Amino acid sequence: MSARVAILISGRGSNMSALCEAMKADDFPAKPVLILSNRPGAGGLEYAKAEGLPFAVVDHTGFESRAAFDAALHHALMPAQPDIICLAGFMRLLTPGFVEKWTGKLVNIHPSLLPKYPGLNTYQRALHAGDTETGCTVHHVVPEMDAGEIIGQARVPIRQGDTAEMLETRVREAEHALYPACLRKLVGQSSPD
Ligand code: GAR
């Protein structure tokens, strides 16, 4: 039985498409059931359309509070009955109430070796600190930002002369392998009926 996977995006959606491409494999025990964006113009929606995947937009600018937006997000997700919700470049902080409703099902990818550099500007911060390596982390989502249990990490070297853009490209490539591997690990552990 395939686990049902919803993917939340805000932008380009390259991690979302990497997950969806991986799920095309016959032996991958998961399938995408909903792509959800908080931005109507998110580039990743084009992939969803081209692939004929179910997608929805819940535009956060139409809501007066985080709680109201998260309630709408919850209602958009419910009919899809996801076993796992992958945050893939979803750039909204989720309220504790929302996170509690989906506890154990929410995972995120973050462009640093957590617990180092939670939050934004991770590449600049790694370069500024003179680090010789950085990477990416897939982790469970808890109410505290970028703090949940780690599912997997990939390390990426920082080379002399690297710019934040160069690092971003290298880390993103690692993300595209790490996220599907972690999803496979996760759905291998759970047994949806
Ligand atoms: C990814 O690098 C992801 O790790 C990061 O946003 C990018 C989205 O790219 N997420 C965060 O920074 C979350 N705090 P994508 O839209 O091409 O997948």
Side-chain angles (χ1 to χ4, degrees), residues 11-16 88-89 91 108-111 123 146 172 175:
R12 168 183 25 217
S14 70
N15 278 287
M16 175 268 295
M91 305 308 274
N108 181 42
I109 187 156
H110 181 76
Y123 308 112
D146 299 331
R172 182 132 328 124
E175 289 187 328

Side-chain angles (χ1 to χ4, degrees), residues 9-17 44 87-91 108-112 118-123 136-137 145-146 168 171-172 175-176:
I9 64 169
S10 297
R12 168 183 25 217
S14 70
N15 278 287
M16 175 268 295
S17 54
L87 308 184
F90 183 70
M91 305 308 274
N108 181 42
I109 187 156
H110 181 76
S112 78
L120 299 174
N121 303 318
T122 56
Y123 308 112
C136 45
T137 302
M145 187 183 63
D146 299 331
E168 181 173 350
V171 169
R172 182 132 328 124
E175 289 187 328
H176 295 166

Side-chain angles (χ1 to χ4, degrees), residues 119-184:
L120 299 174
N121 303 318
T122 56
Y123 308 112
Q124 291 86 341
R125 287 153 76 196
L127 286 172
H128 190 251
D131 293 353
T132 55
E133 67 169 8
T134 184
C136 45
T137 302
V138 174
H139 63 93
H140 289 283
V141 175
V142 294
E144 194 188 336
M145 187 183 63
D146 299 331
E149 186 192 338
I150 291 173
I151 299 160
Q153 289 186 312
R155 311 182 96 80
V156 163
I158 298 180
R159 304 199 180 105
Q160 204 141 37
D162 269 351
T163 61
E165 291 71 30
M166 289 157 81
L167 216 46
E168 181 173 350
T169 303
R170 204 174 300 137
V171 169
R172 182 132 328 124
E173 205 178 307
E175 289 187 328
H176 295 166
L178 178 71
Y179 214 172
C182 288
L183 177 61
R184 191 185 270 275

Side-chain angles (χ1 to χ4, degrees), residues 66-78:
R66 266 184 207 286
F69 169 70
D70 283 5
L73 204 57
H74 181 72
H75 284 291
L77 283 164
M78 283 288 277

